[in-house]
Amino acid sequence: GFAKVKAVSRRDAEQSACAASAEVRPWEEGRMTHVGELQEAVNNHGRVQLFQDGGRSVAVKRMPTRWVCSGPREFDAQHTAAFERPWFDIGLLRLLNGVQYPYACRLHGIFRSDVETFVATTFCDGGDLFEWCF
């Protein structure tokens, strides 16, 4: 069975998103091997690509840093009407990973180059949940 998990509040997700933004590491070009394109991430102004990282497949969402900003507070201040909330999504994923929720992909890291922010997660064949639902 599942372990009991307390309800997640908006504040919990926001705190987790702030913690995630403090854990961003430099993107090391060539560290992972690019395999191919998975899909456009139009609402995030980016794209999702498949990489190999030490024998495991990872999905990497690439977004312009000028859009995703340095963290959730800056993003929310600059994009008050945005439909996508990438830092909120990252915060929720961190919380799900923290309780070892079995049906969430694993967040492998958040990276940044001079112009892009990269979010690396477990590759799940079949697309993302939004595409699957609709």
Side-chain angles (χ1 to χ4, degrees), residues 41-91:
V42 178
N43 292 326
N44 284 296
H45 305 272
R47 61 194 184 277
V48 182
Q49 298 176 314
L50 179 62
F51 282 82
Q52 284 292 312
D53 183 23
R56 69 179 171 196
S57 296
V58 293
V60 177
K61 183 179 281 187
R62 302 175 73 140
M63 299 169 283
T65 299
R66 72 185 185 300
W67 181 77
V68 77
C69 303
S70 63
R73 290 189 177 105
E74 181 186 356
F75 182 89
D76 291 346
Q78 289 189 21
H79 306 289
T80 57
F83 174 73
E84 290 287 330
R85 311 304 276 180
W87 289 106
F88 189 80
D89 295 347
I90 292 166

